Amino acid sequence: LLGACTTTPPAPIVGPASSAPATERGATRTPAREAAPSIDGAPVASVKPVYESHPAAVRLLAAARDAVATGRYDSAGAKIDQAIRIDSADPWVWHELARLRFVQGEFGQAVATARRSNALSGAPAQLLYANLNLIAEAERLRGNEAASAQALRDAQRYESDAVRSD
């Protein structure tokens, strides 16, 4: 509740996907546990991907997360754009773009991009949960309490599956 009194947007309540390498396209990845991830020094929850991402896209998203962590948002955006060109059907790519837009304070774009991520097939419950929480926080920061509350209600449908997959 006190977050509403701040002048700068808080870090999203969702975290980055693991940057564990993939083997081949279509191969299942087992991401390693990371140290407590953060955005701009604020700790956030970690989200592990289960979508079978293209290995090059995985590397680009890891580089994008590193760029975000050091405030190089233009570089992060370029890496995510490359990942989109490689695999535009990957819901994790769109999630990372939504997170970037959130950190940049572009809450409308964050919401639209998180919804696009959720609409793609292969989006697991943990990703749906993470996107809906990001949507809720972005809508709250936009002053749209009704949409924020609805996104939180929607996220509850995926909460037990998202927690179970950790």
Side-chain angles (χ1 to χ4, degrees):
L1 293 174
L2 295 178
C5 300
T6 62
T7 57
T8 58
I13 55 178
V14 297
S18 171
S19 59
T23 53
E24 298 177 30
R25 177 114 176 119
T28 303
R29 296 182 298 128
T30 306
R33 287 271 179 195
E34 297 177 340
S38 65
I39 293 179
D40 298 331
V44 293
S46 180
V47 179
K48 299 183 313 186
V50 294
Y51 178 87
E52 297 171 1
S53 299
H54 189 284
V58 171
R59 287 188 296 275
L60 287 164
L61 293 181
R65 284 188 296 278
D66 290 344
V68 168
T70 58
R72 295 176 293 124
Y73 301 138
D74 289 342
S75 175
K79 300 289 185 202
I80 294 169
D81 286 344
Q82 286 179 297
I84 288 170
R85 284 192 297 274
I86 291 169
D87 189 358
S88 63
D90 185 338
W92 292 99
V93 173
W94 294 101
H95 173 73
E96 288 299 327
L97 182 57
R99 292 184 70 247
L100 174 62
R101 297 300 180 236
F102 183 94
V103 171
Q104 292 174 313
E106 297 176 15
F107 303 124
Q109 288 294 317
V111 167
T113 308
R115 285 188 176 135
R116 182 170 186 167
S117 173
N118 281 354
L120 292 170
S121 65
Q126 65 189 37
L127 180 58
L128 297 169
Y129 179 74
N131 279 328
L132 287 164
N133 276 288
L134 186 145
I135 290 167
E137 185 64 8
E139 290 290 15
R140 185 188 67 78
L141 291 169
R142 292 172 69 187
N144 192 344
E145 294 297 328
S148 177
Q150 182 61 53
L152 287 174
R153 283 190 298 275
D154 292 344
Q156 288 176 344
R157 289 184 288 170
Y158 303 102
E159 185 173 18
S160 63
D161 289 334
V163 172
R164 194 173 322 129
S165 64
D166 279 346

